[in-house]
Amino acid sequence: MTPPLNLEDAQTRLLALLQPLAVRTYPVDGSARLYVAEKVVARRSQPPVDLSAMDGYATCGGGPWFLKGESRAGAPYDKLLGKGDAVRISTGAQMPLGADAVLLQEDAQVEGTDLTANAPPTARFIRRAGLDFASGDILLEPGTRMGAAQIALARAGGCGSVVAHERPRVAIIECGDELCADPQDCRDPQIPAVNGAMLTEMAREAGGEVTATAPVPDDADALVRAIESQAEAALIVISGGASVGPHDLVKPALEAAGFALDFWRVAIKPGKPLLVATRGDAVVLGLPGNPVSSFVTGFLFMMPAIRRMAGARDCVPRAVPLRLAAPVPEGGKRREFVRAAWTGDGVIAADVQDSSALRPLAQAQVLIDRAAGADPAKTGTFVPCYLLESGGYA
């Protein structure tokens, strides 16, 4: 039996088996969670003209000034201002031709058409044309994930569509005789099936188009049928049955279905019995059945695999240094990903780190990355952490 791979080698091997999918054009408004395949280029400048950044008065030259009208957002003042002229202006309204400064509303004194100032007007409150971007600027680089801000930027740039990679088709299969599909009708000794729903949401968050099966019993033929039923998926994720027990049937089922094992076991905790197998272009990722193990390996392997196929520029999550608000003990024999909560003083590792314990996982905002054999870390020490709510992308 070959030794377990380290995390980075295992991630590299998995990602090398996958390629970004084909591209097509999508409406900007329907592009959330897609990854851009071509540069998104501005078709207009933002702002297109000089605008006021504040409510007040657009002025020309020194005061006092003669008030000649008003410029509102969408209804600009369309005449030229001369020295000593001013117009009332609102935030976001176009600066009139000839105006060279903005007098804040709270600094203005108005009597009829006469305007004086308690403080001088300034050009600092003018948003110059092209402040955000100019026509022809690159707004989004290939590999960028489309989200709320990116959709807003593309629309502001006059773009109604983007060229992006197709969503990877991901199949989720969870197996185990003990699993009950309906959590409201689960009788002992069964337990509610949780991994399928959990991994489905993680896969969607990563950009996948997901199908999930009902729990599959610990039966080799049933597992082979479940695998074959998902033949059109680019990635098949199987939760449970990847270890070495007599009821761990994933490896023999994959062999029966014609898949070849690429690697098995990774030197991490939780999640050691992870496996990867291939058949042609199809890739199977076998995750441990314990929920926390399934979550951690889904975070470290499944989500990066989906990002790779979806065309992401950065596929694996990045650790950021965060301060410990409480000490953590020395590391064990394997690299460990410790569930921890974020507080105003830093991160605190959960008391319970058992790989079946879902409550500490649900309460965690980060995973602390603890090297094998790491020395104890004191309060105030900065440790590498993965941010769970951002998918590991700080």
Side-chain angles (χ1 to χ4, degrees), residues 83-159:
K83 297 293 184 181
D85 290 339
V87 297
R88 182 84 169 89
I89 197 165
S90 55
T91 302
Q94 181 175 330
M95 291 291 292
L97 292 175
D100 54 21
V102 173
L103 174 63
L104 295 182
Q105 180 172 297
E106 53 265 37
D107 294 329
Q109 295 288 335
V110 178
E111 291 186 11
T113 58
D114 295 328
L115 172 68
T116 57
N118 298 326
T122 174
R124 183 163 59 92
F125 300 124
I126 301 175
R127 291 180 183 148
R128 298 297 182 185
L131 170 69
D132 196 355
F133 54 81
S135 178
D137 283 355
I138 297 171
L139 301 179
L140 300 171
E141 294 283 355
T144 301
R145 186 178 192 264
M146 294 297 293
Q150 291 73 28
I151 290 171
L153 176 60
R155 288 181 63 90
C159 302

Side-chain angles (χ1 to χ4, degrees), residues 17-18 230-236 259 277-284:
L17 298 172
L18 304 164
Q230 303 298 331
E232 294 184 2
L235 178 68
I236 300 174
F259 284 82
T278 62
R279 185 183 67 184
D281 294 333
V283 175
V284 166

Side-chain angles (χ1 to χ4, degrees), residues 330-350:
E330 64 184 4
K333 294 181 179 179
R334 281 179 280 155
R335 183 174 177 179
E336 185 171 4
F337 293 88
V338 178
R339 279 73 70 201
W342 171 259
T343 72
D345 297 322
V347 294
I348 300 178

Side-chain angles (χ1 to χ4, degrees), residues 127-329:
R127 291 180 183 148
R128 298 297 182 185
L131 170 69
D132 196 355
F133 54 81
S135 178
D137 283 355
I138 297 171
L139 301 179
L140 300 171
E141 294 283 355
T144 301
R145 186 178 192 264
M146 294 297 293
Q150 291 73 28
I151 290 171
L153 176 60
R155 288 181 63 90
C159 302
S161 62
V162 294
V163 177
H165 293 275
E166 294 179 351
R167 290 181 173 87
R169 300 184 65 175
V170 181
I172 307 291
I173 301 171
E174 59 180 329
C175 47
D177 286 337
E178 75 280 15
L179 301 180
C180 177
D182 185 353
Q184 299 181 95
D185 186 23
C186 186
R187 301 177 183 179
D188 294 340
Q190 286 194 304
I191 59 174
V194 300
N195 290 357
M198 176 181 70
L199 293 170
T200 293
E201 182 55 33
M202 293 172 72
R204 286 175 178 156
E205 174 61 26
E209 183 178 307
V210 187
T211 59
T213 68
V216 177
D218 289 320
D219 176 85
D221 291 338
L223 186 52
V224 170
R225 288 193 298 271
I227 294 169
E228 294 292 4
S229 72
Q230 303 298 331
E232 294 184 2
L235 178 68
I236 300 174
V237 180
I238 304 175
S239 175
S243 193
V244 294
H247 300 291
D248 293 316
L249 303 174
V250 170
K251 285 195 292 182
L254 289 172
E255 292 172 0
F259 284 82
L261 186 68
D262 188 273
F263 68 86
W264 175 53
R265 300 191 309 154
V266 182
I268 60 174
K269 179 182 179 181
K272 180 180 177 181
L274 176 135
L275 67 82
V276 171
T278 62
R279 185 183 67 184
D281 294 333
V283 175
V284 166
L285 178 60
L287 308 182
N290 275 323
V292 177
S293 303
S294 200
F295 179 93
V296 170
T297 50
F299 180 83
L300 295 172
F301 289 93
M302 180 188 72
M303 295 180 77
I306 295 170
R307 291 190 186 104
R308 168 69 170 161
M309 293 185 293
R313 181 172 55 242
D314 301 310
C315 296
V316 296
R318 296 187 297 265
V320 296
L322 295 178
R323 183 180 182 274
L324 286 175
V328 293

